Amino acid sequence: MDFNATTPVEPEVISAITEALCDAWGNPSSTYLPGLKAKGIMNQARDSIARMVGGKASDIIFTSGGTEANNMVFHSALEHFWKSRASAEGGQEENHQPNGKKVLPHVITSNVEHDSIRLTAEHLLKVGKADVTFLPVSKVTGRVEVEDVMAAMRPNTCLVTVMLANNETGVIMPIKDICQKVRSAKRSSSSPRVLLHTDAAQAIGKIRVDAQELGVDYMTIVGHKFYAPRIGALYANGPGVMTPVYPLLFGGGQERNFRPGTENTAMIAGLGKVNSANCQYFRFNSHFPGTDTLPNTCNVSILGQGLQGHRVLSTCRRLLASVGAACHSDRGDQPSHILLNCGIPYHVAINALRISVGKGTSRQDVDAVVEDLRDAVERLEQTD
């Protein structure tokens, strides 16, 4: 019972790794068949991981693990700070001292972070590369409080990094609220952009994680915490375009120059496989804070491309359900106007299933439906 330390690799993941080692041994940068096959497997994995965290395939950068991803975030935030300041002030060097006082990039983090965050921040502070505020968590809630983050903000703040879930207490941090407050804060035109990062190592695979809903610029993904191999990835919202990413390494240009080095195809294949094997994510569309709902009614979307509600239901072998009201059944390929009017995003609403149980529905029936849905989704993912 120490699964927060690491997890065993799922059998389906082992099969994907083995298959890649045997059949996709080519260099993904090569243009002949074995290389193209390796590239194709990587692209599938990238898309799978992106869907798992609510991003796009282009948002995923494969890394050796969470430590590297976290260090990339610090490096990118500081590089962006200096480049932005130099551009704003006519190309002055990073160690310029306006009014005789050196201005350093300021980072806000918590005092309960993983060592790959804590020690990196402490090192930058020690060598004079950054100012760092280590926010104490509340002794009442165990969380980083949003008000404390806002109170710590400075004109030179360039990065806020707070883990999504703590590895020892299990406390889930209010990342969405932090992001909303930081983005809405008034800042002078001369202040740098505040980049927002969460280390989601302990959360992915245990709770639903959607980077877009959280509002982060960066998210750290760690495979061995959710039954995948010991490899990782960095989610960056539009890397190099919307969100700055600067490489720690220089080399052959792999991963769009963000993370050079010949890719570990087999481990990447395993990381991508775990999404369909073990971490299918659901969005419950009828959960509204403070609102009671019928106990027999569940409106749920299975997130992912090609998993529209009508496709999932037509692939199921046992489940008989609908995507909305029976009187609107002729609109099966369109999302429910009711869900859209309730604020459910289009890409979520079009995947919706309405499941309503009756007095004769048993727990065994529910278990059978869950298994049927899982099988249907796996079949659709294999065909797409």
Side-chain angles (χ1 to χ4, degrees):
M1 295 189 178
D2 197 21
F3 289 94
N4 279 4
T6 196
T7 56
V9 180
E10 283 286 311
E12 297 93 336
V13 175
I14 294 173
S15 296
I17 293 171
T18 303
E19 182 179 344
L21 286 170
C22 295
D23 301 334
W25 51 266
N27 189 316
S29 298
S30 300
T31 56
Y32 45 75
L33 188 58
L36 294 174
K37 184 162 187 176
K39 190 73 169 180
I41 286 175
M42 283 177 45
N43 289 339
Q44 290 175 1
R46 200 184 307 275
D47 182 67
S48 179
I49 293 299
R51 285 188 282 116
M52 186 171 71
V53 299
K56 305 180 295 296
S58 58
D59 296 334
I60 303 301
I61 302 166
F62 292 118
T63 65
S64 61
T67 294
E68 181 185 349
N70 285 340
N71 275 265
M72 281 181 69
V73 170
F74 276 99
H75 177 69
S76 295
L78 267 59
E79 282 284 305
H80 183 67
F81 174 88
W82 291 121
K83 289 181 183 297
S84 298
R85 181 169 285 274
S87 176
E89 299 185 11
Q92 295 184 50
E93 295 298 322
E94 68 174 57
N95 62 354
H96 70 285
Q97 300 181 21
N99 301 323
K101 185 177 181 181
K102 186 174 183 179
V103 176
L104 292 174
H106 176 237
V107 176
I108 299 173
T109 188
S110 83
N111 66 348
V112 295
E113 298 293 315
H114 186 269
D115 278 353
S116 58
I117 293 289
R118 181 180 66 86
L119 294 177
T120 303
E122 288 180 354
H123 172 75
L124 292 171
L125 184 63
K126 180 180 179 180
V127 300
K129 291 290 186 181
D131 287 331
V132 182
T133 298
F134 294 92
L135 292 176
V137 296
S138 166
K139 291 182 171 58
V140 177
T141 65
R143 307 194 317 173
V144 174
E145 300 297 351
V146 179
E147 295 78 11
D148 292 339
V149 173
M150 300 311 297
M153 292 278 287
R154 303 178 189 173
N156 57 324
T157 301
C158 68
L159 175 66
V160 175
T161 173
V162 177
M163 62 183 6
L164 183 52
N166 187 264
N167 51 310
E168 295 191 21
T169 64
V171 169
I172 298 173
M173 303 296 179
I175 301 302
K176 183 176 180 179
D177 292 341
I178 290 173
C179 291
Q180 288 177 343
K181 286 288 188 180
V182 170
R183 291 197 191 283
S184 63
K186 291 183 179 179
R187 290 172 64 82
S188 71
S189 58
S190 60
S191 294
R193 172 184 172 185
V194 181
L195 295 162
L196 300 162
H197 167 246
T198 190
D199 181 345
Q202 289 293 342
I204 296 173
K206 300 174 185 138
I207 61 173
R208 180 172 170 272
V209 176
D210 188 308
Q212 291 291 327
E213 285 190 11
L214 290 173
V216 293
D217 298 302
Y218 308 104
M219 176 186 290
T220 296
I221 301 164
V222 182
H224 76 97
K225 302 294 188 181
F226 54 89
Y227 306 91
R230 287 180 180 140
I231 191 172
L234 176 65
Y235 160 89
N237 184 21
V241 180
M242 296 175 61
T243 302
V245 176
Y246 293 95
L248 282 170
L249 308 172
F250 295 89
Q254 293 85 353
E255 291 300 285
R256 293 155 288 166
N257 279 315
F258 296 129
R259 203 283 184 182
T262 303
E263 302 92 339
N264 192 341
T265 307
M267 297 301 109
I268 290 172
L271 186 66
K273 182 63 177 178
V274 80
N275 182 39
S276 57
N278 199 62
C279 291
Q280 199 57 248
Y281 282 90
F282 295 82
R283 159 75 180 260
F284 290 95
N285 302 318
S286 47
H287 287 185
F288 297 94
T291 300
D292 295 328
T293 58
L294 293 173
N296 79 315
T297 305
C298 175
N299 194 299
V300 62
S301 295
I302 304 175
L303 302 182
Q305 295 178 355
L307 299 179
Q308 296 91 341
H310 68 94
R311 288 193 73 199
V312 172
L313 289 177
S314 66
T315 308
C316 285
R317 292 170 176 166
R318 300 185 65 182
L319 172 62
L320 304 177
S322 64
V323 296
C327 55
H328 296 154
S329 59
D330 59 336
R331 308 175 192 171
D333 59 345
Q334 295 296 319
S336 161
H337 73 282
I338 293 175
L339 294 183
L340 295 176
N341 289 339
C342 288
I344 305 300
Y346 185 96
H347 75 281
V348 176
I350 201 167
N351 286 20
L353 307 172
R354 186 189 69 173
I355 299 173
S356 48
V357 301
K359 66 179 183 179
T361 306
S362 67
R363 183 177 294 275
Q364 289 73 27
D365 293 332
V366 174
D367 290 342
V369 164
V370 171
E371 188 66 29
D372 195 18
L373 283 170
R374 182 185 294 114
D375 292 344
V377 168
E378 287 187 0
R379 286 195 293 273
L380 287 172
E381 288 184 332
Q382 289 169 3
T383 57
D384 285 345

